[in-house]
Amino acid sequence: MLYLIGLGLGNERDVTLRGLDAIRSCAKVYLEAYTSVLGVDASRMEALYEKPVVACDRRFVEQGVDAVLDEAKDTDVAFCVVGDAFAATTHGDLVIRAREKGVAVRAVYNASIMNAVAGTGLSLYNFGRTVSICFFTPTWRPDSFYDWVRENRKTGAHTLCLLDIRVKEPTVKALCRGIEEYEPPRFMTAATAATQMLEVEETRGEGAYSEDTMCVAVARVGQDDEKIRACTLGEMRRVDMGAPLHSLVLVGDVMDIESAMLATHEVKPEDYYEGEPPSQMLDA
Amino acid sequence: MLYLIGLGLGNERDVTLRGLDAIRSCAKVYLEAYTSVLGVDASRMEALYEKPVVACDRRFVEQGVDAVLDEAKDTDVAFCVVGDAFAATTHGDLVIRAREKGVAVRAVYNASIMNAVAGTGLSLYNFGRTVSICFFTPTWRPDSFYDWVRENRKTGAHTLCLLDIRVKEPTVKALCRGIEEYEPPRFMTAATAATQMLEVEETRGEGAYSEDTMCVAVARVGQDDEKIRACTLGEMRRVDMGAPLHSLVLVGDVMDIESAMLATHEVKPEDYYEGEPPSQMLDA
């Protein structure tokens, strides 16, 4: 049996009792560690689980997962995912490959940023499609999110923007020489996302949003130091949300109760960066 | 402190360790029991929590909640919600009233149908707005969902349809005579939802969807007997998804991986009702 277990968003104690029962019953425990990260070290998970945890990077999941599925034929294997079991599409792929191999799959659901974003006070009913914002480079400034944001805003829907995470990315040297060497982890800040989004609006010029568009940023959702701040997209370029992970919501039409909730998260003077915002966040 | 605690979707063991820690530390535990239901009796929660649980109906939450907030001024109180802490807008209202009274609020996130629907294999990124389908009566056939479904389908987005739940509804006799008497609980089936949606399409005639539109129904998500079935909306009118709760997704444009996942859930001959589908599900 392959258990696909959502670990939730905060720390190791956000696993459900059902999830912990399953993990403890498994012979082997894998942790997917590239689409998101928990706010704790794997050693704290191992202490709770009472067994070792094998961290998997993207290459492992995309290329080496057949070995995991073969193990799951004869024994119980837990594949743990930060957030919910099915939050990333790679996990759907895992289920399909498991079924092809005749391996039974059982999911244990948990919170995902996709629903916990309701902690902002915005109603989940009123969200349109979710988009991803990727780090711009000097030569690659992907703007495919723009069309979806524009469509959402036409109907007054909110847009959840998931922000880029670069974990265990090989260095250029590693790619050229075939050695194992990685860039430091990078997590996009809400400020960087706001800056990039406004740059795309300037380029595309279709008026999907502007500096005056209301947005709300969330950081470390579900952790003890969770932070939520609402302001305009123009202001968000200078708001310091602290340590990762960040997400950003472009706010659409709001009901009274949503508006009252957002007011409780209004940005304050002490929330702004002193000096220039960092162009990217380098470390957790 | 007021803890707003998501209990997840399945049974009492879907609470997170963080949530259980909070519940056990609280002097008083309330359970919101009208927007959704867990698959277990409150006595099993009480055994796990090691304390009594006070079930709240809609009237209690909308009218009597000030007493709870007053308790939360001096002691820790847990307000438990099936699914995620913020899934229903009434809970946002609770947070605002708590803040007005100077009561600190802490949320414990969990899975909600809003993210666990990804267990169908459909990507959460590709969902548009969520709609609610209410039970039709001879004189009231609410179709406001139709406009949102049409907008979602224009852009190829999937639509999650949450289906009506009627728990602790006063009988007509109770309303007339001021006595306490309730209708038996009713939970809308996926089949009833499909029937009502096709009736609305026939009335509105704007071609938002048809009998041939693909859909996928989920039942008892996260429970041991979770069931997922994909077929056309016309076929869904006769598919027996078993005990509540049911939800229905109108499928938009699908990526290859979504299509492969849906294929694993294809409806089978034994999934159909024998004879006429019941017009409504009367009991859990």
Side-chain angles (χ1 to χ4, degrees):
Chain A
M1 169 84 85
L2 176 72
Y3 286 96
L4 201 57
I5 299 176
L7 297 182
L9 295 164
N11 65 28
E12 77 283 4
R13 296 191 72 75
D14 285 300
V15 71
T16 64
L17 299 185
R18 185 197 295 262
L20 185 60
D21 292 345
I23 289 170
R24 286 194 174 153
S25 77
C26 281
K28 203 89 176 262
V29 180
Y30 293 93
L31 171 66
E32 186 272 88
Y34 65 92
T35 58
S36 193
V37 291
L38 267 196
V40 293
D41 198 79
S43 65
R44 281 179 52 183
M45 294 184 206
E46 293 182 330
L48 177 66
Y49 302 166
E50 297 166 357
K51 58 185 65 179
V53 169
V54 183
C56 312
D57 58 18
R58 186 185 299 269
R59 203 174 60 180
F60 178 89
V61 175
E62 284 169 5
Q63 295 171 17
V65 85
D66 279 347
V68 175
L69 295 177
D70 286 335
E71 285 175 336
K73 274 185 189 164
D74 306 316
T75 178
D76 287 346
V77 172
F79 188 82
C80 299
V81 179
V82 174
D84 187 39
F86 286 103
T89 41
T90 33
H91 309 142
D93 190 45
L94 189 62
V95 172
I96 288 171
R97 287 163 76 178
R99 292 216 167 111
E100 283 166 3
K101 280 181 174 276
V103 174
V105 179
R106 192 74 211 273
V108 180
Y109 300 105
N110 207 321
S112 145
I113 183 65
M114 300 287 216
N115 67 292
V117 69
T120 56
L122 295 173
S123 166
L124 286 185
Y125 281 77
N126 299 336
F127 278 76
R129 288 214 202 210
T130 300
V131 302
S132 294
I133 313 283
C134 298
F135 276 118
F136 283 1
T137 72
T139 55
W140 193 59
R141 305 177 96 71
D143 66 355
S144 60
F145 67 84
Y146 186 85
D147 298 310
W148 294 122
V149 173
R150 190 190 54 219
E151 292 308 308
N152 284 343
R153 291 188 58 77
K154 265 188 204 164
T155 65
H158 312 311
T159 308
L160 170 61
C161 308
L162 299 179
L163 309 187
D164 206 355
I165 292 175
R166 297 296 174 98
V167 181
K168 244 187 152 183
E169 297 278 324
T171 60
V172 174
K173 201 168 100 189
L175 289 173
C176 295
R177 301 193 193 162
I179 58 170
E180 210 165 317
E181 187 183 78
Y182 300 98
E183 300 284 356
R186 294 166 65 201
F187 303 93
M188 187 182 287
T189 61
T192 298
T195 303
Q196 291 195 178
M197 290 182 82
L198 286 169
E199 180 189 309
V200 170
E201 176 57 61
E202 191 150 328
T203 313
R204 298 281 297 263
E206 299 170 40
Y209 48 83
S210 74
E211 289 190 12
D212 298 326
T213 301
M214 274 304 294
C215 65
V216 51
V218 296
R220 302 172 303 288
V221 172
Q223 295 179 34
D224 289 335
D225 60 345
E226 173 181 292
K227 184 171 178 173
I228 304 175
R229 287 295 181 271
C231 58
T232 67
L233 198 56
E235 289 168 329
M236 190 58 80
R237 290 178 294 195
R238 304 192 55 81
V239 173
D240 182 358
M241 294 294 293
L245 301 176
H246 298 181
S247 302
L248 185 67
V249 180
L250 236 58
V251 178
D253 297 338
V254 286
M255 303 179 298
D256 288 349
I257 179 139
E258 293 178 293
S259 166
M261 282 288 280
L262 286 186
T264 68
H265 301 303
E266 207 176 350
V267 80
K268 297 175 198 72
E270 63 267 29
D271 292 320
Y272 289 97
Y273 284 109
E274 292 176 30
E276 277 304 296
S279 66
Q280 52 192 243
M281 186 180 294
L282 284 178
D283 201 357
Chain B
M1 169 86 85
L2 176 72
Y3 286 97
L4 201 56
I5 300 176
L7 297 183
L9 296 163
N11 64 29
E12 77 283 6
R13 295 191 73 75
D14 285 299
V15 71
T16 66
L17 300 186
R18 184 196 294 262
L20 186 59
D21 292 344
I23 289 170
R24 286 193 174 153
S25 78
C26 282
K28 202 90 178 262
V29 180
Y30 292 93
L31 170 68
E32 186 271 87
Y34 65 90
T35 61
S36 192
V37 291
L38 269 195
V40 293
D41 197 80
S43 65
R44 282 179 55 183
M45 295 184 204
E46 292 183 331
L48 177 65
Y49 301 166
E50 298 166 357
K51 58 184 65 176
V53 169
V54 182
C56 312
D57 58 18
R58 186 185 298 268
R59 202 174 61 178
F60 179 88
V61 175
E62 286 170 4
Q63 296 171 16
V65 85
D66 279 347
V68 176
L69 295 176
D70 287 335
E71 285 175 336
K73 275 186 188 163
D74 306 315
T75 179
D76 286 347
V77 171
F79 188 82
C80 300
V81 179
V82 174
D84 187 38
F86 286 103
T89 40
T90 32
H91 309 143
D93 189 48
L94 189 62
V95 172
I96 289 171
R97 287 164 76 176
R99 291 215 168 111
E100 283 167 1
K101 280 180 172 277
V103 174
V105 179
R106 193 72 212 277
V108 179
Y109 300 105
N110 207 320
S112 143
I113 184 65
M114 299 288 216
N115 68 293
V117 68
T120 56
L122 295 174
S123 166
L124 286 186
Y125 282 76
N126 298 337
F127 278 76
R129 288 213 201 210
T130 300
V131 301
S132 295
I133 314 283
C134 299
F135 276 117
F136 283 2
T137 71
T139 54
W140 193 58
R141 305 177 97 71
D143 66 356
S144 59
F145 67 84
Y146 186 84
D147 299 309
W148 294 120
V149 173
R150 188 191 57 218
E151 292 308 307
N152 284 343
R153 292 188 58 78
K154 267 188 201 164
T155 65
H158 312 311
T159 308
L160 171 60
C161 308
L162 300 179
L163 310 187
D164 206 356
I165 292 175
R166 297 294 174 99
V167 181
K168 242 187 153 183
E169 297 277 325
T171 59
V172 174
K173 199 168 100 190
L175 290 173
C176 296
R177 302 197 194 159
I179 56 171
E180 209 166 319
E181 186 183 78
Y182 301 99
E183 300 284 356
R186 294 166 65 201
F187 303 94
M188 189 183 286
T189 62
T192 298
T195 303
Q196 292 194 178
M197 290 181 83
L198 286 168
E199 180 189 309
V200 169
E201 175 57 62
E202 190 150 327
T203 312
R204 298 281 296 259
E206 299 170 42
Y209 49 84
S210 74
E211 288 190 13
D212 298 326
T213 300
M214 275 302 294
C215 64
V216 52
V218 296
R220 302 171 303 287
V221 171
Q223 296 179 35
D224 290 335
D225 60 346
E226 173 181 291
K227 184 170 179 175
I228 304 176
R229 288 295 181 272
C231 59
T232 66
L233 197 57
E235 288 167 329
M236 191 58 80
R237 290 178 294 193
R238 303 192 55 82
V239 172
D240 182 359
M241 295 296 292
L245 300 178
H246 298 182
S247 301
L248 185 66
V249 180
L250 235 58
V251 178
D253 297 340
V254 286
M255 304 180 297
D256 287 350
I257 180 139
E258 292 178 293
S259 163
M261 281 288 281
L262 286 187
T264 68
H265 300 304
E266 206 176 350
V267 79
K268 298 175 197 74
E270 62 268 30
D271 292 320
Y272 290 97
Y273 283 109
E274 292 175 31
E276 278 304 297
S279 65
Q280 52 190 244
M281 185 180 293
L282 284 178
D283 203 357

